[in-house]
Amino acid sequence: MLNRVILIGRLTKDPELRYTPAGVAVTQFTLAVDRPFSSQGGEREADFIPVVTWRQLAETCANYLRKGRLTAVEGRIQVRNYENNEGRRVYVTEVIADNVRFLESNRDSGGYRDDMGGGGGPSYSAPSGNSNARSNNSGYSRGPSADPFSDDGKPIDISDDDLPF
């Protein structure tokens, strides 16, 4: 079985950082993700998807993400439910993120810069393994900022021995 989601969108407001009674950081934000089609009136529509991050990743997101920033999120979908004040069962569907990539920096938050090699911003990931376990890992890893697949218009010299097929 597989439960994996990758989203690219813009934050609708600044992330909200909170701490559980046990002192674990949790951040919630909403990502506006454009739909790949327009409505009958020709207007673009978007889905507003709630995202939750935990621990060091939550603190990093709270420190660096801001409203309007283009962001990529990788994680899993979770459905939880609770009983509200009126005694009704409420279901909540959200993405639990374990990897967040900032696709634009502070200085260019006005729009996506294509010259950054596919995004260029750092990538932050939750520590691998049990997501509920504490770790000495710093909680994030910085991804490369240059596009390793750009060929500058030159032919690529690869021998047949280097090909995996």
Side-chain angles (χ1 to χ4, degrees):
M1 290 179 240
L2 180 66
N3 180 356
R4 209 77 199 133
V5 63
I6 298 172
L7 303 168
I8 297 177
R10 294 192 180 274
L11 271 70
T12 61
K13 63 180 181 175
D14 290 353
E16 298 175 15
L17 175 64
R18 296 185 181 157
Y19 290 90
T20 66
V24 178
V26 58
T27 299
Q28 295 178 316
F29 56 90
T30 301
L31 209 60
V33 180
D34 287 337
R35 291 183 177 171
F37 53 86
S38 299
S39 68
Q40 289 181 348
E43 295 179 15
R44 294 293 302 223
E45 294 182 359
D47 292 302
F48 298 90
I49 301 169
V51 178
V52 178
T53 59
W54 290 90
R55 296 176 180 74
Q56 180 65 42
L57 180 59
E59 292 177 343
T60 302
C61 287
N63 288 334
Y64 296 105
L65 286 178
R66 294 290 173 255
K67 176 182 178 178
R69 291 270 169 82
L70 188 64
T71 305
V73 170
E74 181 181 0
R76 63 183 170 83
I77 294 177
Q78 174 178 286
V79 179
R80 60 183 173 86
N81 64 73
Y82 64 92
E83 197 170 298
N84 68 8
N85 295 340
E86 299 168 357
R88 295 188 131 153
R89 180 78 39 206
V90 177
Y91 291 88
V92 179
T93 303
E94 56 201 2
V95 173
I96 307 301
D98 52 30
N99 187 358
V100 175
R101 183 167 175 94
F102 307 157
L103 298 180
E104 53 190 13
S105 66
N106 291 343
R107 64 184 177 276
D108 59 44
S109 61
Y112 174 69
R113 285 183 45 195
D114 196 31
D115 63 333
M116 294 177 73
S123 177
Y124 298 94
S125 301
S128 59
N130 183 353
S131 62
N132 293 328
R134 290 205 178 251
S135 170
N136 290 336
N137 186 341
S138 64
Y140 62 89
S141 61
R142 202 172 282 277
S145 61
D147 184 2
F149 300 106
S150 65
D151 61 3
D152 298 326
K154 300 174 187 169
I156 300 172
D157 184 28
I158 299 176
S159 71
D160 290 339
D161 295 335
D162 292 334
L163 296 174
F165 46 89

